[in-house]
Amino acid sequence: MSGYNYSKVINHKAGWYRGDFHTHTHASDGVYPSDILAGVAKAEGLDFIAISDHNTILGLEELSGNLDFLVIPGLEITFDKGHFNVFGLGGWYDWMQGICGDRIEVSMPDRYKTINGLLEEISAEGLLSSINHPLQPPWEWLFKDTDLRTIQCLELWNDLYWPGNITANPATVEMWTEWLNAGYRITAIGGSDYHYPPRPEENKPGERLGMPTTYVYAEELSTAGILDALRKRRAYVTKGPQFDFRAKANGRSYEIGADMGVQDGGIDFIVTIPYQPKTINLQLVMNGAVIAEEQTKGRDINVRFRHKVDAISSVWFRLDIRDNDGDVLAITNPVFVGPEKKVDQYRYGELKP
């Protein structure tokens, strides 16, 4: 797509990498060329971004071959009934015909009877799909017949500067929680939906890269490494706090996103935070309900929750972090315990709040 090598490895070490899965360049409705956008992201302390222009890959084609920063090749397919990102592009695909062109918003091509045909074709290429800002009017997701088995990711938080997301983002968290309870294991990610920086003098909120941030635990800093980690749900979304959350049982340690299998007995959930200057509330959430909570701040924080499970129940646990006003600062993908729950509701419209 350009001189940029999308298969190169920026860092061969395993670890937590900080990124943003939703950005735009001047190829669609952003203001910066691709290289400059990558430079802004690097200055913000990010390790990677996904460029996801509306219905075009021209921004990807502009990237320089000598750019020393990870750009995940993406695309925001922007329909009049909803938007979704596709990650891991390797060039031009047949399904792009009638979608990619010179219009920011299009209708779904007639050759697809439903959105599911397109999503299945994208998935068959080994690409990941993520529904964007699903409950944010006027760009909410209106494809009620969407088969959730064709979706790998969900944008849990979108653009923290956009006024409408004050209610849309929490509603999306509630919807995702219902999906988890229904048996889905769709990976939650975040995206700033970056177009341009805030312009208070023009009364334009703008966006900031990395607000929210998605931390991903990958075996290496590369497109393949990051996307493989998303498939394993090894990620959390945050407005600031950086931490480690893991479960321990029977001498084994399990990372965010892990399937612990059948367990019978106590599980320790351990939260480690290098430094937290302001008081925060750590909440252990099981199947959507807070079952334990602890308030903390300081350096080298180590908090342990313990909960007993049985060998029959299918449960999941995640960590939510809130400030003293109750606002959510971070949400992890879950750890799953017990037999995998059988899904019997497939349509987006059946599980939408």
Side-chain angles (χ1 to χ4, degrees):
M1 286 184 288
S2 69
Y4 183 81
N5 179 8
Y6 287 99
S7 63
K8 69 178 176 180
V9 179
I10 303 295
N11 190 328
H12 290 273
K13 294 182 179 179
W16 286 104
Y17 291 107
R18 182 179 182 227
D20 190 330
F21 284 103
H22 193 164
T23 73
H24 299 279
T25 76
H26 69 170
S28 58
D29 57 349
V31 297
Y32 292 132
S34 302
D35 281 11
I36 293 178
L37 180 66
V40 174
K42 192 171 184 179
E44 288 280 14
L46 299 182
D47 298 303
F48 68 89
I49 58 171
I51 287 182
S52 52
D53 279 316
H54 299 280
N55 298 339
T56 181
I57 58 172
L58 291 178
L60 300 173
E61 295 174 352
E62 292 181 350
L63 282 168
S64 299
N66 59 358
L67 185 64
D68 187 26
F69 182 81
L70 181 60
V71 175
I72 295 172
L75 170 71
E76 183 170 19
I77 297 180
T78 308
F79 288 143
D80 51 5
K81 294 176 65 176
H83 304 183
F84 70 101
N85 276 352
V86 179
F87 303 121
L89 301 177
W92 181 268
Y93 300 83
D94 289 341
W95 53 261
M96 291 180 174
Q97 190 67 37
I99 296 173
C100 289
D102 58 0
R103 290 187 295 163
I104 284 181
E105 183 177 283
V106 297
S107 297
M108 190 168 63
D110 291 339
R111 65 182 181 275
Y112 297 108
K113 294 181 179 180
T114 68
I115 188 68
N116 299 318
L118 174 60
L119 289 168
E120 289 167 2
E121 193 169 335
I122 290 170
S123 181
E125 298 282 1
L127 309 174
L128 296 186
S129 296
S130 175
I131 298 178
N132 292 339
H133 44 69
L135 302 179
Q136 181 198 94
W139 307 288
E140 64 265 50
W141 190 256
L142 300 176
F143 292 103
K144 294 183 179 180
D145 61 341
T146 304
D147 188 332
L148 292 178
R149 293 171 294 182
T150 66
I151 294 291
Q152 294 79 42
C153 302
L154 174 70
E155 189 178 71
L156 197 68
W157 285 347
N158 169 272
D159 181 7
L160 302 182
Y161 287 72
W162 185 254
N165 280 331
I166 293 174
T167 55
N169 284 342
T172 302
V173 174
E174 290 182 13
M175 181 175 72
W176 176 62
T177 299
E178 290 302 313
W179 292 5
L180 294 172
N181 285 339
Y184 286 98
R185 298 185 176 188
I186 293 172
T187 304
I189 60 175
S192 68
D193 208 346
Y194 187 86
H195 296 82
Y196 52 82
R199 299 172 179 172
E201 68 281 1
E202 301 177 36
N203 198 29
K204 293 183 177 180
E207 302 88 26
R208 180 178 175 182
L209 287 168
M211 290 297 284
T213 294
T214 305
Y215 277 94
V216 179
Y217 190 88
E219 295 303 317
E220 63 182 26
L221 182 56
S222 67
T223 291
I226 294 295
L227 297 187
D228 181 62
L230 288 190
R231 291 185 177 93
K232 298 173 181 175
R233 304 172 297 275
R234 301 173 77 176
Y236 65 88
V237 185
T238 178
K239 299 177 183 178
Q242 183 178 359
F243 55 92
D244 182 80
F245 174 65
R246 64 185 62 220
K248 290 188 176 181
N250 298 316
R252 288 190 60 186
S253 180
Y254 299 86
E255 304 279 355
I256 291 171
D259 183 345
M260 297 179 64
V262 173
Q263 302 285 338
D264 191 5
I267 301 176
D268 290 313
F269 298 92
I270 301 165
V271 186
T272 305
I273 306 174
Y275 177 56
Q276 177 57 46
K278 295 183 179 180
T279 300
I280 56 173
N281 295 285
L282 308 178
Q283 297 179 329
L284 182 65
V285 177
M286 183 183 78
N287 290 0
V290 177
I291 60 169
E293 185 170 5
E294 183 161 333
Q295 193 173 81
T296 186
K297 71 174 182 178
R299 294 185 181 274
D300 299 323
I301 298 168
N302 194 287
V303 173
R304 184 182 297 259
F305 300 109
R306 187 169 178 82
H307 189 78
K308 189 175 182 179
V309 298
D310 58 51
I312 300 173
S313 303
S314 298
V315 294
W316 56 265
F317 299 88
R318 74 171 191 241
L319 179 73
D320 289 3
I321 299 180
R322 296 179 181 267
D323 64 18
N324 273 342
D325 295 324
D327 293 331
V328 182
L329 300 176
I331 300 177
T332 71
N333 277 281
V335 172
F336 298 91
V337 183
E340 187 168 354
K341 190 171 184 178
K342 183 180 178 181
V343 173
D344 56 13
Q345 292 176 293
Y346 303 125
R347 306 302 177 191
Y348 176 85
E350 295 175 329
L351 291 167
K352 181 178 176 293

